[in-house]
Amino acid sequence: MSEDRTSFGTLLRELRVARSLTIEGLAEASGMSVRGIGDLERGRRAAPQRRTVAALADGLGLAETEREKLLAAARTGRATGYSPAGVHAFPRGADDFVGREPELRRLADLAAADRTAGGQAVVVAVSGAPGAGKTTFALHASRQLAGNFPHGQLMIDLSGTDEEPPPAAELMVSVLKALGTPDRDLAKAGPTGRPELYRRVLAERRCLLVLDNARDEAQVRPLLPGSGPAMVIVTSRRMLTGLDAVHRFPLGELSPAEAAEFLTLLIGKERAAAEPDALADVARRCGHLALALRIAGNWLATRTGWTVRRLADRLGHAERRLDALTAGDVRVSGAFDLSYRQLTATAARMFRRLALVPGPDASTALAAQLTGQELFDAEDTLEELVEAGLLGSRADRYRLHDLLRLYAQARLAAEEFGPAADASRQALHRWLLETAVVAGRWYEPEHGAPPASWRGTVDLSSAERARHWLQSEGANWLAALRAAARDGDHATVVEVAEALHWFSDQWLFWGHWAEVFGTAARSARALGDPLVEATQLNYHAWAVTLCEGRPRDSLPLSAAALAAARRAGDPVQQAWAYHYTSWAHRILCQWQEAFEAADRAAEMFRAAGDDLGLLQVLHGRALILEAEQRDEEALTAFQEVVAFMDGAGDALEPHSATITRLGLLAGIGQCLGRLGRWDEAVDRLEAAVGLCRSSGNIGLEGRNLMLLVDALFAAGRPERARQALAHCAGLGTDANPEIVARARERLAEWETDRP
């Protein structure tokens, strides 16, 4: 800012500080009030009259030159008509603001930063889905930051969702007039000179400018100051990716706790406290979206005879939820309409068809199936939806907000006839299940990599890539499997379950294997194939025992598998049924029944020449001995299994061999520990953990880590035990949740008790 245009408040503060006077000291010397001087320095009062300036000059003991300078600053403020107090042109805001604490702290830091006139102005881009509360956030933040901007705060509606938003030149004039620029300066600059005048005026003022509801970068770019102490907050449904040198604040939905707090502010604490569960249901059915929550809260606030549960139930009808989220002339669907109308035809089609995705999110390859686009074209279309604020993204996944999904469903029903949408849905399900079969067979003996003839759109060039696809699309292909079962496509259901059987060992605690194999068993029964039914029932028994920890409930399943295998005349599946029966009895500590079933299984596997099955039964017998704590006998039995595996060599399927070696190492480690041979136990258990990591088996890694922790403590290695415990606590969702929770509890106890 040039010396002759320094604001009165700034100059007054500089003169006071130069004389080491406090505001209180100047007030006493000048006869003015402390508050009056403070308001002048902060720009909260208009430029003072001459007598006020004279009193301040006397109090400061100014020489003639400084006195004239202070008077000139006062005259400049009055002559230009510039009044900081008159530039608080904000609309009426809401006092019931909640959340956004990290964003508010970050904004406060930016506003408080010391910026010289030659530095770059701060620009903040606030983006988010329709109804995320961007404007409310900007208003709330602006009021909090007002003290940092003594030259004024101003909000301009860019009307970006209108068919023809106002041009930048018109908006510039609005800002200049609001900041007190004389008409003669505007006329002198003319249309061509006004951009320069606009930048110069903003460069001279520490003011806050909110540009609300921007359409795109082209509308915003001319309105951004180049340098100076000003700060600009731009709100837009679009991410405004094309803007450079901006601080980005993407706003999502509120947290469940924040949403409940917001509703409480709207309806009152007493009413909210009376029905906390119903309040949480209302918040959840609003998708924790700020606009939807405000509508729901206002609805309840104006209908005092309604219970919160009544509104929660009203919102429980998904097909009518958007219609219910209407209060007067404010509609959630209306906010969505504004963004949807601005999409290209291709993006609008993609948006509608994303409603067909059965799971919570989608990959680019999945989205491409919905529209028939090439992968790169589909990705461009998805990113257009992200940019428009209608789609969320994280890593390589795309997600519709719950209410936007309902809106997309409504648009799909309105704009595409039922048969077309049904055909798209069926094609998507078919693709999901076909890809699941190919991916799952990476882990199946005698299959591995996709055949050369396969022309899929997903990279399944390695087992790890296949695993990633199966896990990331798990909710989607599971929904497709359910649909196939409902539609009576039983052969496909069985094919998918069979292809995924070997993979299931790699994702033990997903939570849906019992459903997958139980559904396949019912489909096999519908097909009238007792051998396939027996196979799937055995898989079902395995899932219920190991994945769900319900061995007693698995016994009827293995018994049904045995009966089906007998009808089919298949000794191998009969042997597997005995094996799973033995496994369940072992966990139930029913040792005699466990041994009897294991012996029957071993006899039948030997007779059939099935080494893989025999290996599992021999391992199972050793585990029974270990569970009974007959440790010396168990060690001998484990070594016999090791010798059996060494003798079989490459004849054993690698995946099954790896799983068995994991169990052997863990079992031997436990036996050695109980025999007091802790160092040897640690060696075996560390080897088991290492094998889990190298094979990517997180489910078994958690179990073995906890065994290792106990062994390390017993061996006198507490720091190494703590490291193993911390690793187990951070394994994530692929591990057994009970084990992870136990690890976190023990880690917290260890940290508390540590000296």
Side-chain angles (χ1 to χ4, degrees):
M1 185 180 295
S2 61
E3 186 178 31
D4 63 336
R5 292 296 299 273
T6 301
S7 74
F8 181 86
T10 301
L11 181 58
L12 176 61
R13 183 167 56 251
E14 290 174 354
L15 292 169
R16 177 179 60 76
V17 171
R19 283 156 179 75
S20 301
L21 277 174
T22 63
I23 291 181
E24 289 79 5
L26 179 56
E28 184 177 351
S30 65
M32 290 190 61
S33 69
V34 170
R35 180 175 179 179
I37 295 173
D39 285 348
L40 284 170
E41 288 192 358
R42 294 181 180 87
R44 293 176 179 172
R45 280 185 55 194
Q49 298 301 313
R50 186 179 182 88
R51 62 179 177 275
T52 301
V53 180
L56 290 168
D58 291 341
L60 289 166
L62 297 183
E64 192 62 32
T65 302
E66 290 177 321
R67 181 183 291 266
E68 283 301 322
K69 188 176 178 181
L70 191 63
L71 283 166
R75 285 195 300 271
T76 300
R78 290 193 296 273
T80 59
Y82 167 63
S83 170
V87 192
H88 295 261
F90 284 116
R92 181 175 180 270
D95 295 327
D96 42 29
F97 184 88
V98 300
R100 314 297 190 199
E101 293 300 329
E103 291 86 357
L104 290 170
R105 285 194 297 270
R106 190 173 157 211
L107 263 182
D109 290 341
L110 290 171
D114 184 20
R115 298 188 298 280
T116 63
Q120 193 171 40
V122 172
V123 179
V124 174
V126 179
S127 61
K134 300 176 290 297
T135 299
T136 303
F137 170 77
L139 281 169
H140 182 78
S142 298
R143 289 188 169 87
Q144 286 196 335
L145 302 175
N148 296 98
F149 298 98
H151 298 160
Q153 306 94 45
L154 181 65
M155 186 172 202
I156 300 293
D157 185 0
L158 303 189
S159 303
T161 54
D162 289 358
E163 291 293 333
E164 295 185 11
E170 178 182 321
L171 294 168
M172 281 183 188
V173 172
S174 298
V175 174
L176 288 168
K177 286 187 173 183
L179 291 175
T181 305
D183 288 342
R184 63 177 178 273
D185 289 353
L186 291 170
K188 181 179 178 181
T192 58
R194 282 172 189 161
E196 182 181 351
L197 176 64
Y198 176 85
R199 288 190 294 272
R200 187 171 70 249
V201 168
L202 287 180
E204 295 172 347
R205 289 167 169 78
R206 190 177 177 91
C207 62
L208 175 63
L209 182 62
V210 177
L211 303 177
D212 188 44
N213 192 16
R215 184 184 186 91
D216 52 29
E217 295 90 338
Q219 187 191 28
V220 171
R221 199 174 280 116
L223 300 173
L224 300 180
S227 62
M231 182 175 183
V232 180
I233 299 176
V234 184
T235 74
S236 178
R237 298 178 178 206
R238 304 184 66 83
M239 296 176 71
L240 304 178
T241 306
L243 293 183
D244 297 326
V246 301
H247 301 272
R248 300 191 178 278
F249 285 59
L251 298 186
E253 57 263 32
L254 298 174
S255 70
E258 290 169 343
E261 181 185 355
F262 188 23
L263 288 172
T264 299
L265 288 173
L266 294 170
I267 70 173
K269 291 182 179 180
E270 183 176 347
R271 198 170 174 194
E275 298 180 85
D277 292 341
L279 194 78
D281 285 345
V282 169
R284 179 172 51 80
R285 288 164 185 168
C286 288
H288 305 127
L289 189 71
L291 176 61
L293 291 165
R294 183 171 295 283
I295 290 173
N298 288 345
W299 184 278
L300 285 171
T302 56
R303 290 162 177 79
T304 54
W306 279 46
T307 63
V308 180
R309 172 54 59 193
R310 181 176 175 183
L311 179 60
D313 292 344
R314 180 182 173 91
L315 296 176
H317 300 282
E319 67 280 0
R320 298 179 57 188
R321 189 173 303 160
L322 288 178
D323 291 336
L325 287 171
T326 301
D329 61 349
V330 181
R331 297 181 301 120
V332 168
S333 58
F336 297 163
D337 282 335
L338 294 172
S339 292
Y340 180 72
R341 288 202 303 264
Q342 292 183 347
L343 295 175
T344 63
T346 301
R349 181 166 172 256
M350 173 72 83
F351 174 76
R352 294 192 301 270
R353 293 195 172 188
L354 282 171
L356 298 173
V357 177
D361 55 21
S363 63
T364 301
L366 187 152
Q369 300 302 311
L370 295 170
T371 56
Q373 293 174 283
E374 295 295 328
L375 285 178
F376 288 118
D377 293 335
E379 186 174 47
D380 287 345
T381 304
L382 290 166
E383 289 299 327
E384 180 183 339
L385 293 172
V386 172
E387 182 71 27
L390 291 174
L391 191 63
S393 66
R394 184 175 183 180
D396 59 350
R397 310 290 298 176
Y398 296 89
R399 174 183 174 270
L400 279 174
H401 183 275
D402 291 347
L403 294 180
L404 280 166
R405 178 184 291 273
L406 294 177
Y407 179 76
Q409 289 172 353
R411 297 320 314 157
L412 184 69
E415 299 181 40
E416 299 189 37
F417 292 111
D422 289 342
S424 295
R425 181 183 291 106
Q426 290 167 8
L428 176 63
H429 288 179
R430 186 165 55 251
W431 175 81
L432 283 164
L433 296 179
E434 288 173 354
T435 309
V437 168
V438 176
R441 282 180 174 162
W442 258 110
Y443 297 87
E444 191 174 356
E446 301 178 2
H447 278 280
S453 59
W454 189 65
R455 293 291 181 269
T457 56
V458 179
D459 183 0
L460 300 178
S461 58
S462 69
E464 187 54 38
R465 290 181 185 276
R467 175 193 178 113
H468 174 75
W469 186 90
L470 286 166
Q471 290 184 302
S472 61
E473 297 289 4
N476 289 320
W477 64 252
L478 177 62
L481 187 77
R482 291 167 177 159
R486 287 195 304 269
D487 294 342
D489 189 1
H490 300 303
T492 295
V493 172
V494 169
E495 181 186 22
V496 172
E498 183 62 40
L500 294 173
H501 162 58
W502 291 88
F503 168 72
S504 61
D505 276 335
Q506 301 296 312
W507 199 17
L508 289 171
F509 300 105
W510 174 40
H512 298 286
W513 291 120
E515 178 187 356
V516 169
F517 299 128
T519 300
R522 291 188 292 274
S523 286
R525 191 177 309 122
L527 292 170
D529 190 327
L531 177 57
V532 175
E533 182 183 355
T535 303
Q536 298 301 321
L537 281 167
N538 274 324
Y539 298 163
H540 193 188
W542 165 85
V544 170
T545 297
L546 181 60
C547 303
E548 299 193 346
R550 297 188 289 118
R552 194 176 305 280
D553 293 337
S554 79
L555 288 170
L557 298 172
S558 54
L562 179 62
R566 284 173 174 165
R567 291 198 306 273
D570 186 86
V572 172
Q573 286 304 319
Q574 291 179 52
W576 281 112
Y578 281 122
H579 172 62
Y580 290 125
T581 298
S582 174
W583 194 344
H585 283 306
R586 168 170 59 84
I587 296 174
L588 293 168
C589 301
Q590 297 168 347
W591 316 122
Q592 185 62 36
E593 293 90 338
F595 275 121
E596 289 176 358
D599 289 342
R600 292 292 303 274
E603 177 186 349
M604 299 188 81
F605 278 132
R606 282 195 181 95
D610 190 322
D611 285 346
L612 175 61
L614 183 58
L615 171 65
Q616 300 305 312
V617 173
L618 293 176
H619 184 202
R621 291 187 93 264
L623 288 172
I624 298 170
L625 293 168
E626 186 269 327
E628 280 194 275
Q629 298 190 14
R630 294 159 61 180
D631 295 313
E632 295 288 1
E633 294 177 75
L635 282 174
T636 300
F638 281 131
Q639 293 302 330
E640 289 174 355
V641 179
V642 172
F644 181 90
M645 291 184 69
D646 292 342
D650 294 339
L652 290 176
E653 190 277 323
H655 167 70
S656 180
T658 297
I659 295 293
T660 303
R661 288 192 188 281
L662 281 172
L664 291 171
L665 288 166
I668 291 171
Q670 287 179 279
C671 289
L672 290 170
R674 279 195 296 269
L675 292 170
R677 296 158 61 180
W678 289 112
D679 288 336
E680 294 175 77
V682 167
D683 289 343
R684 298 303 196 287
L685 293 169
E686 284 186 332
V689 170
L691 189 54
C692 286
R693 291 178 186 170
S694 64
S695 63
N697 197 317
I698 296 176
L700 291 179
E701 184 179 357
R703 173 181 179 273
N704 289 322
L705 274 168
M706 290 302 285
L707 294 175
L708 175 61
V709 166
D710 292 336
L712 286 165
F713 272 121
R717 303 187 213 173
E719 183 55 33
R720 176 71 186 92
R722 188 200 67 79
Q723 293 172 2
L725 203 55
H727 185 78
C728 185
L731 282 180
T733 56
D734 287 350
N736 185 332
E738 294 180 3
I739 285 179
V740 171
R742 192 158 70 248
R744 290 173 179 169
E745 290 173 4
R746 288 187 62 179
L747 187 63
E749 292 170 0
W750 193 90
E751 295 288 354
T752 301
D753 296 340
R754 183 172 58 172

